[in-house]
Amino acid sequence: KSLLELYHDFLDEILFECETNYCAVLNAKIIELNQKKTMDDFSIKAKINYSKNLKEIRKTKEVKAITYHEMSIEKKADLWAGQVILDI
């Protein structure tokens, strides 16, 4: 998968987890981002902390979808930075 596809799928998995388990994301940290054999093939490992605390969940907006519209991800120095527009 390309890095952009991987970024989208990563966020989509988080959304799916929250929808199916009625939870909110407290924080997410990418632990490993590996480029495989080709320039467009990446894998990702992450640690995500969820909350099922109703007060925290009520503070959040419901995200309906992760979009590719203006989605970007780029390396800045030693860190990766991403941008995504969410449908709410």
Side-chain angles (χ1 to χ4, degrees):
K1 290 188 174 201
S2 74
L3 188 54
L4 203 60
E5 290 171 320
L6 186 64
Y7 182 44
H8 177 275
D9 291 353
F10 170 69
L11 296 172
D12 205 41
E13 280 294 319
I14 292 173
L15 178 59
F16 176 77
E17 187 72 27
C18 290
E19 288 174 341
T20 57
N21 294 307
Y22 195 67
C23 61
V25 175
L26 295 177
N27 59 52
K29 181 178 182 180
I30 296 175
I31 298 168
E32 219 174 280
L33 179 63
N34 293 317
Q35 188 172 9
K36 294 186 177 183
K37 295 177 183 176
T38 66
M39 288 294 290
D40 288 337
D41 195 8
F42 292 85
S43 67
I44 193 169
K45 282 186 184 178
K47 179 166 178 50
I48 303 164
N49 294 314
Y50 296 96
S51 173
K52 291 194 174 195
N53 181 311
L54 290 177
K55 286 183 182 178
E56 289 175 359
I57 294 170
R58 287 185 185 125
K59 290 180 192 175
T60 63
K61 296 267 186 198
E62 181 182 353
V63 175
K64 296 192 183 339
I66 309 298
T67 70
Y68 278 103
H69 180 71
E70 295 188 27
M71 180 182 276
S72 66
I73 188 164
E74 61 183 322
K75 193 167 189 174
K76 294 182 178 182
D78 290 338
L79 300 173
W80 288 89
Q83 176 179 307
V84 64
I85 294 175
L86 306 172
D87 282 343
I88 55 173

